Amino acid sequence: MKTLLAFLFVAVPSLTSNATLLHFKADDIVGFWMTTENMLKVQVYKCGSEYCAKIIWFEDAHYKAKMEECRDEKNPDPKLRDRKVLGLEVVSGLKYNAADDNWQDGRIYDSNSGKTYDSEV
């Protein structure tokens, strides 16, 4: 799922393409977002005062298991390797910064590598 990382950088073209013309409201990020490659769909939702996202669909044609059966096999924590990728929370901790007009300080998890990265939209 290389597209997980692409989510925060290219899955929100309608928000970023006109960023100089628009001013966002914190909850504008809430909703369903598809990557530009149409291979991954996430649901962004409010979790407390921050924003998170979970995987709700992905193209499984290139994986050895069907979408409903894929597991988080590369997770660095062996106890979490059996959890399903479908429904997995992959973005956490995003906070809206009105002064900068963006969401920042988040973390994004890539289940393909088991690595977690800083993220911002």
Side-chain angles (χ1 to χ4, degrees):
M1 273 189 279
K2 296 175 185 172
T3 54
L4 285 180
L5 294 177
F7 159 69
L8 287 178
F9 302 106
V10 296
V12 193
S14 64
L15 292 177
T16 59
S17 64
N18 295 319
T20 57
L21 303 174
L22 299 175
H23 292 285
F24 304 116
K25 294 178 186 147
D27 288 347
D28 284 351
I29 196 170
V30 172
F32 298 91
W33 301 97
M34 180 75 80
T35 60
T36 56
E37 298 88 8
N38 292 323
M39 295 185 68
L40 174 77
K41 188 174 189 179
V42 297
Q43 178 182 10
V44 178
Y45 52 94
K46 198 147 189 187
C47 45
S49 61
E50 302 173 343
Y51 297 88
C52 300
K54 65 181 174 181
I55 297 173
I56 61 167
W57 177 89
F58 61 91
E59 175 61 53
D60 61 7
H62 302 290
Y63 299 95
K64 60 185 176 186
K66 296 283 185 200
M67 179 175 59
E68 294 82 9
E69 299 167 3
C70 283
R71 304 291 177 182
D72 189 16
E73 297 170 350
K74 301 233 174 140
N75 194 295
D77 183 346
K79 296 177 206 161
L80 299 177
R81 292 181 184 155
D82 196 42
R83 66 184 179 168
K84 290 184 176 185
V85 172
L86 188 64
L88 186 64
E89 184 175 279
V90 291
V91 176
S92 61
L94 278 175
K95 299 174 193 118
Y96 181 68
N97 181 326
D100 291 338
D101 206 22
N102 70 6
W103 295 265
Q104 56 193 28
D105 298 328
R107 303 287 288 157
I108 185 167
Y109 174 69
D110 176 12
S111 63
N112 277 334
S113 67
K115 295 181 181 180
T116 302
Y117 302 92
D118 292 333
S119 63
E120 142 177 341
V121 178

